[in-house]
Amino acid sequence: MLLSIFKVLVFPGLLFLGTYSFLLEFIDRKVYARMQNRKGPPWYQPMADMLKLIGKKVIVPRNAQKFVFAALPTVSLAAVCAAFLCIPVFGSTAITAYSGDLVAVLYLLTIPTLCHFLAGYNSHEVYSTIGAFRTLTQMFAYEVPLFLAFLSPAILAGSWSISGIAAFYMAHPLYTLINIPAFLVSLLASQSKLERSPFDAPEAETEIVGGALVEYSGRYLAFFRATAITELTAMASVLAALFLPFFTGSVWLDFALYLVKTFSIVLVMVLLRATMARIRIDQTLKFFWSILTPIAMAQMILNLLLRGGLGL
Amino acid sequence: MSDYREKNKVVVQIGPQHPSLKEPGSFKITLDGEKVERAVIEIGYNHRGIEKACESRNYIQALYIIERVCGICSHAHTSCFCQAFEEIAGLEVPRRAHYIRGIVGELERLHSHLLWLGVASHEIGFDTLFMYTWRDRELVLDLLARIGGNRVNYGVNTYGGVRRDLEPELMQDILTVCDLLEEKLKYYADLALTETTLIARLRGIGTLLPEDVRKYSAVGPVARAAGIMDDVRITEPYGVFREIAVNGITDDHCDVYGRTLVRVKEMLEAIRLIRIMVKEIPDGPISVRPPRKLPVGESLSRVEAPRGEDIHYIRSNGGESPDRVRVRAPSEANWHGMSHMLEGFQLADVPIIIAAIDPCYSCTDRAIHLIGDGINQLTDWAQIRALSIEQYKARGIDPGSIKIREF
Amino acid sequence: MNTEETILALNKHFPALEAVSNRPLRVFTAFAEPKAFEETLRYANLTLGYHKGKHIIGTDEGENIGLSYIISNDEDVLLVLRERVPKSAPHVHSMGELYPSLMLHEREMVDLFGVQVSGLPEGPRYPLPDCWPDGEYPMRKEWNPAYFNKQTVTYEPPKQEDAK
């Protein structure tokens, strides 16, 4: 019992999530800066930013509903943390694993996006409304390919639990190669979900000032920023668990492998962020629907056929 | 910020304060979804009263003010003003001075276009290119600081010639910087032609067709991107360009992408010109002595500033101060077509379309600066300082003993 | 149509203008009354091919206000046509249908010199701010920036007796 509480709260649960998220955020910003020939922030910068934001004054717009305004950041952070608990970190089984937890994780990870939209809409201000609607439009673009790409390895593995999928691929490592198109699709779709360049039209600083969160300040903004960085960790972990399932059986070695895998995925995401311009929201829609969705659908059909054909 | 809801239309006010605008300007954009339906443009926030100020100062002081019309194209403004003065006075500027003016002018074109490239990439969210171009711009700014003493507003020009000479080591360094920059510029040219997201954001927006260029009298890279060869260095050669021929750069895209290509190619052309000028610069004096008072007369002079054709007008009535000074900066000419360029495109394109004419709001407006607007409470400097001292005292710090200079 | 041809054509049709050129690509003319000026401008635009509007320079000529229109053609000749109106009744017509790009500068004349330009479409003023006091025209010679109170945004010239 005590061990479970320790696992959930400290390691590999929430405290680990917080620390690792700060580390990944630092890596993200430092590598991004070095790619731009700049120095980049020191290692404690994400923590310092969070502490500074928590200490600032909160101003709630007159037309916004106060309770919703205050609740949204907390709800979105809680959703991401709950999702993280189902992802294998220490070993090939998560802290809580049950059949269908992949679907639960996907739903829980959608909540921050909806909270983002509601935050913008609730602020009743021109720029935040435009940002909120762009968030929703972008969700309309990436949701289908993302879900298709995440569910393809599940179909091949015959299990709806992330830990079950990991166990399957541990037994049959070569089948991982079949899922490479889905991996690429989900990388790009994750980049769009996290609203990072080139898909950061909802938060375009030069067009709509700050997007949906323009009226947020103080500790509420701190929580939204915390959601953003924990979401990065969570998405990287899901990608690592589904598409890079190389496990050795020894929990400590698997943990080290987990760190390496998530680190590399974040590096790839930083490369995407640094080398491309921001594309417009209509171009995002076109890109996702005309290029990524067909690939994801093809992958899904292939996996269905293989599952039936291989008789697994 | 008000929004009128007639059917589904929203009026977004961009400016006067906005992250995408480097200087204040107000754009009231009527949106239908994400599409811009109408744009009402209000400029004039940077009006400082320069022309009136010139009328009450003598010519040397007026030159100092004209240099500060703009930080980025300051040399072009002083070259034009000195040219107008020299025309009325009938001065013959020495050849070496023409060459030095030409070198500094082309260096200024380099730094202005690099700045533009950085700002444009920032507007489309491509911060990496922003950092790279501004890093390269530092090389040019260091050179300009060595030539004139200041990174911007380098006072190189004077009536009758230039004030500073170029030593041989400096000229050698200019050539080294040109070599370094040429490599990087070729990389940017390649990037502009092949990077997909860049092309996707810049292609097909802010279109200004050749007949519209004529109607709205756009100048500079905006006109050249529509295929019209509008370059003062070619149509009315002045200074060193009477001896050195310039290859005019035009492009046929007529949109923001065309303007990008024109500017990148112009940078490569500027490097070629600098190399020729450094190689062939003649020896000799760098200035002749100008008169203190100008004879009665008027003149219109033009130079090719980085943003286009810059026109200066001086009218003298025989005294020590000019009777009328008029500056028509190139950015002024490019504003007329702005509403036309914005309509029909999306909100996401508004910042880059505005940035693509390379607006220099300081060049455009030259009016009187006001403090306070009569609507809210007016506080003057002393009251604000007292208020801030009070606030700090409440937190336990006493800044009252700090002496600040009176303005 | 280059410089010499322009001068010949102008002097033939409008000899009162005394068109001169002191250097290539420049043609200067004398001040004219608004009606004659509009005729000349229309002639230059439609017949001589001067369809590019470059600029308008407003000048204070003592009793009158002068507007110098700078226009140019495809050969980049700068032609300066001028009109003159008395300060007490400065009424001119907008040349916006011929030169849409000069409308911004006509607004400038309205704000800075107090010229009343009829025929301008609705639009924001340029370049002075909205709270500028009425009747104050900064570019007229008699307006002294030293008497402008920036705090209260009013022009306070000294009384006549004090000025002596």
Side-chain angles (χ1 to χ4, degrees):
Chain A
M1 173 71 180
L2 225 57
L3 189 62
S4 307
I5 296 182
F6 176 80
K7 272 198 202 165
V8 167
L9 286 181
V10 179
F11 180 84
L14 302 181
L15 194 62
F16 167 72
L17 174 63
T19 325
Y20 195 46
S21 307
F22 282 142
L23 180 67
L24 281 182
E25 168 79 359
F26 160 66
I27 301 286
D28 175 30
R29 287 166 69 168
K30 187 78 170 175
V31 176
Y32 184 61
R34 296 304 294 151
M35 281 186 185
Q36 294 180 341
N37 210 195
R38 291 186 289 131
K39 270 183 114 74
W43 61 271
Y44 49 82
Q45 189 67 41
M47 273 187 283
D49 287 343
M50 204 63 53
L51 287 173
K52 178 207 79 167
L53 271 179
I54 291 178
K56 294 284 178 187
K57 178 176 174 182
V58 172
I59 299 177
V60 182
R62 195 185 308 152
N63 291 336
Q65 296 188 14
K66 277 216 185 53
F67 178 68
V68 178
F69 197 83
L72 285 172
T74 328
V75 168
S76 57
L77 185 58
V80 182
C81 293
F84 189 72
L85 296 179
C86 305
I87 305 175
V89 170
F90 193 66
S92 64
T93 341
I95 303 170
T96 63
Y98 47 90
S99 174
D101 67 16
L102 173 62
V103 183
V105 161
L106 282 174
Y107 270 118
L108 283 170
L109 285 176
T110 317
I111 291 181
T113 319
L114 292 175
C115 288
H116 200 91
F117 161 72
L118 280 175
Y121 190 66
N122 188 33
S123 302
H124 285 288
E125 195 263 320
V126 182
Y127 289 131
S128 70
T129 319
I130 298 181
F133 279 110
R134 282 191 187 176
T135 308
L136 221 52
T137 314
Q138 198 156 290
M139 189 162 106
F140 181 62
Y142 67 70
E143 198 81 326
V144 170
L146 185 70
F147 275 43
L148 284 175
F150 272 11
L151 297 177
S152 304
I155 298 228
L156 195 58
S159 160
W160 291 115
S161 157
I162 304 186
S163 312
I165 298 171
F168 175 83
Y169 284 108
M170 199 156 82
H172 311 93
L174 285 178
Y175 290 158
T176 324
L177 296 173
I178 302 176
N179 293 323
I180 289 182
F183 182 38
L184 297 171
V185 169
S186 55
L187 256 182
L188 288 171
S190 310
Q191 187 84 344
S192 172
K193 183 178 182 56
L194 297 164
E195 282 172 20
R196 292 156 62 91
S197 186
F199 308 113
D200 64 344
E203 195 238 329
E205 171 222 340
T206 53
E207 299 155 25
I208 49 177
V209 186
L213 300 181
V214 76
E215 294 289 341
Y216 271 79
S217 52
R219 54 184 186 277
Y220 300 142
L221 184 61
F223 271 39
F224 264 123
R225 297 236 30 240
T227 316
I229 60 183
T230 40
E231 213 179 341
L232 174 65
T233 319
M235 291 301 286
S237 312
V238 174
L239 284 170
L242 289 177
F243 297 105
L244 303 173
F246 309 115
F247 297 101
T248 52
S250 143
V251 281
W252 285 104
L253 219 55
D254 283 341
F255 178 62
L257 271 177
Y258 162 81
L259 291 176
V260 170
K261 285 185 245 175
T262 43
F263 192 85
S264 343
I265 291 178
V266 167
L267 280 180
V268 171
M269 287 187 170
V270 173
L271 186 71
L272 282 175
R273 187 175 165 216
T275 51
M276 291 200 254
R278 172 195 313 136
I279 58 178
R280 281 200 315 257
I281 196 76
D282 62 317
Q283 291 167 334
T284 318
L285 274 170
K286 212 184 294 184
F287 175 66
F288 276 96
W289 277 100
S290 61
I291 300 183
L292 291 191
T293 311
I295 299 179
M297 278 207 289
Q299 172 80 71
M300 173 72 95
I301 295 175
L302 175 70
N303 281 18
L304 277 168
L305 291 174
L306 278 178
R307 177 122 194 113
L310 292 171
L312 295 158
Chain B
M1 212 162 306
S2 60
D3 47 54
Y4 310 108
R5 269 171 223 250
E6 32 161 300
K7 301 180 199 169
N8 291 321
K9 308 232 173 86
V10 173
V11 175
V12 176
Q13 165 117 2
I14 296 192
Q17 308 280 31
H18 194 269
S20 76
L21 301 174
K22 305 308 166 201
E23 290 170 89
S26 164
F27 304 88
K28 290 193 177 64
I29 316 252
T30 308
L31 286 179
D32 181 10
E34 282 261 344
K35 210 158 102 109
V36 172
E37 221 186 53
R38 225 180 121 238
V40 175
I41 298 170
E42 245 182 82
I43 45 179
Y45 290 86
N46 258 359
H47 195 66
R48 288 159 288 158
I50 283 186
E51 288 160 19
K52 186 81 179 178
C54 285
E55 284 173 21
S56 54
R57 286 162 172 73
N58 65 29
Y59 281 100
I60 297 287
Q61 291 170 321
L63 184 64
Y64 188 80
I65 295 184
I66 292 289
E67 178 139 37
R68 279 140 184 82
V69 165
C70 176
I72 313 173
C73 31
S74 56
H75 181 87
H77 281 299
T78 45
S79 301
C80 203
F81 199 72
C82 291
Q83 245 176 248
F85 182 99
E86 285 146 14
E87 199 181 305
I88 302 182
L91 289 175
E92 184 71 40
V93 175
R95 278 183 71 217
R96 190 175 171 89
H98 278 311
Y99 273 74
I100 295 181
R101 274 187 190 170
I103 293 177
V104 178
E106 292 307 306
L107 279 173
E108 188 178 67
R109 194 179 312 274
L110 268 179
H111 108 76
S112 170
H113 284 334
L114 277 171
L115 181 145
W116 179 84
L117 199 53
V119 167
S121 357
H122 180 65
E123 306 289 5
I124 58 175
F126 199 2
D127 281 340
T128 312
L129 188 58
F130 174 40
M131 299 292 169
Y132 285 179
T133 43
W134 278 50
R135 171 201 62 188
D136 300 329
R137 190 174 159 248
E138 291 296 316
L139 293 166
V140 182
L141 288 177
D142 287 340
L143 261 186
L144 286 167
R146 281 178 63 187
I147 298 177
N150 199 359
R151 279 153 62 99
V152 292
N153 296 339
Y154 17 89
V156 171
N157 276 336
T158 184
Y159 302 122
V162 294
R163 287 173 57 225
R164 290 173 191 254
D165 205 348
L166 297 177
E167 305 91 38
E169 318 88 64
L170 185 51
M171 291 207 263
Q172 204 45 49
D173 288 334
I174 293 179
L175 289 175
T176 321
V177 168
C178 282
D179 291 333
L180 284 170
L181 274 180
E182 192 176 19
E183 249 181 76
K184 306 221 162 72
L185 286 172
K186 290 207 170 105
Y187 170 69
Y188 298 142
D190 198 38
L191 191 75
L193 290 169
T194 54
E195 165 66 29
T196 338
T197 47
L198 199 76
I199 299 177
R201 276 310 292 274
L202 300 178
R203 190 66 90 80
I205 56 171
T207 320
L208 201 67
L209 298 167
E211 50 270 16
D212 292 323
V213 167
R214 292 202 178 89
K215 184 170 149 199
Y216 295 111
S217 68
V219 294
V222 179
R224 293 202 277 277
I228 300 178
M229 183 72 265
D230 177 46
D231 189 334
V232 182
R233 295 174 293 175
I234 299 179
T235 56
E236 191 188 299
Y238 58 90
V240 71
F241 301 109
R242 286 181 292 215
E243 300 177 27
I244 301 181
V246 177
N247 296 336
I249 314 271
T250 56
D251 194 77
D252 283 317
H253 284 103
C254 302
D255 56 13
V256 174
Y257 185 57
R259 288 164 214 158
T260 316
L261 289 177
V262 164
R263 286 190 177 102
V264 171
K265 288 182 196 162
E266 265 181 18
M267 284 199 267
L268 289 165
E269 174 68 15
I271 289 192
R272 184 189 78 95
L273 288 169
I274 293 177
R275 285 198 178 124
I276 299 179
M277 286 191 256
V278 167
K279 205 171 70 153
E280 301 188 3
I281 186 168
D283 293 318
I286 54 171
S287 70
V288 294
R289 198 183 172 77
R292 201 168 170 76
K293 294 189 190 179
L294 268 190
V296 175
E298 60 181 350
S299 79
L300 270 175
S301 85
R302 301 196 268 187
V303 303
E304 182 72 13
R307 284 161 183 72
E309 171 200 40
D310 185 18
I311 303 181
H312 281 230
Y313 171 78
I314 300 184
R315 187 165 80 174
S316 149
N317 54 8
E320 273 191 15
S321 299
D323 182 43
R324 180 78 169 100
V325 167
R326 182 69 181 160
V327 173
R328 199 232 48 187
S331 300
E332 261 186 86
N334 288 332
W335 276 119
H336 307 303
M338 183 48 77
S339 307
H340 178 86
M341 281 198 265
L342 284 175
E343 280 157 23
F345 297 103
Q346 303 202 9
L347 177 65
D349 298 324
V350 167
I352 184 63
I353 297 179
I354 296 174
I357 67 168
D358 206 357
C360 185
Y361 301 74
S362 301
C363 284
T364 308
D365 326 315
R366 288 167 301 278
I368 303 214
H369 171 76
L370 290 179
I371 312 169
D373 59 5
I375 299 175
N376 300 324
Q377 180 200 1
L378 282 173
T379 13
D380 68 1
W381 181 250
Q383 283 173 302
I384 293 178
R385 181 148 191 263
L387 188 69
S388 75
I389 291 178
E390 237 178 78
Q391 286 202 340
Y392 272 103
K393 278 206 176 115
R395 293 192 226 170
I397 311 168
D398 182 14
S401 56
I402 303 174
K403 282 192 141 333
I404 55 171
R405 189 166 55 93
E406 291 304 328
F407 287 93
Chain C
M1 171 136 302
N2 64 16
T3 321
E4 292 85 31
E5 291 165 15
T6 313
I7 293 185
L8 282 171
L10 281 176
N11 281 334
K12 199 167 81 168
H13 285 93
F14 303 96
L17 281 186
E18 303 157 14
V20 290
S21 163
N22 54 358
R23 53 162 283 183
L25 298 180
R26 303 278 186 273
V27 180
F28 289 98
T29 58
F31 281 100
E33 297 306 309
K35 231 189 235 16
F37 162 75
E38 282 167 38
E39 229 185 283
T40 323
L41 197 71
R42 204 154 277 133
Y43 175 72
N45 184 314
L46 300 168
T47 321
L48 296 182
Y50 279 83
H51 51 256
K52 293 198 230 177
K54 290 275 178 188
H55 208 43
I56 307 179
I57 302 180
T59 47
D60 185 328
E61 313 281 339
E63 292 281 318
N64 305 314
I65 295 182
L67 280 81
S68 307
Y69 278 60
I70 307 179
I71 51 181
S72 101
N73 63 1
D74 281 327
E75 302 194 15
D76 272 308
V77 181
L78 289 181
L79 170 61
V80 183
L81 292 173
R82 312 195 218 231
E83 65 177 335
R84 172 180 49 204
V85 282
K87 262 190 198 170
S88 45
H91 306 291
V92 295
H93 289 295
S94 161
M95 293 287 114
E97 75 275 6
L98 288 175
Y99 298 106
S101 57
L102 292 182
M103 286 199 284
L104 187 70
H105 301 296
E106 285 170 351
R107 287 189 210 280
E108 206 172 344
M109 296 297 119
V110 172
D111 255 4
L112 295 178
F113 281 93
V115 176
Q116 284 156 12
V117 183
S118 62
L120 276 177
E122 280 284 313
R125 63 188 296 181
Y126 175 78
L128 295 173
D130 294 329
C131 57
W132 189 263
D134 278 331
E136 299 301 331
Y137 305 116
M139 286 304 286
R140 291 197 184 181
K141 291 281 182 189
E142 56 266 20
W143 198 89
N144 190 338
Y147 301 144
F148 187 72
N149 187 334
K150 292 183 191 172
Q151 295 299 99
T152 59
V153 193
T154 48
Y155 185 66
E156 295 158 357
K159 303 277 180 287
Q160 291 305 96
E161 312 86 62
D162 297 343
K164 292 292 187 306

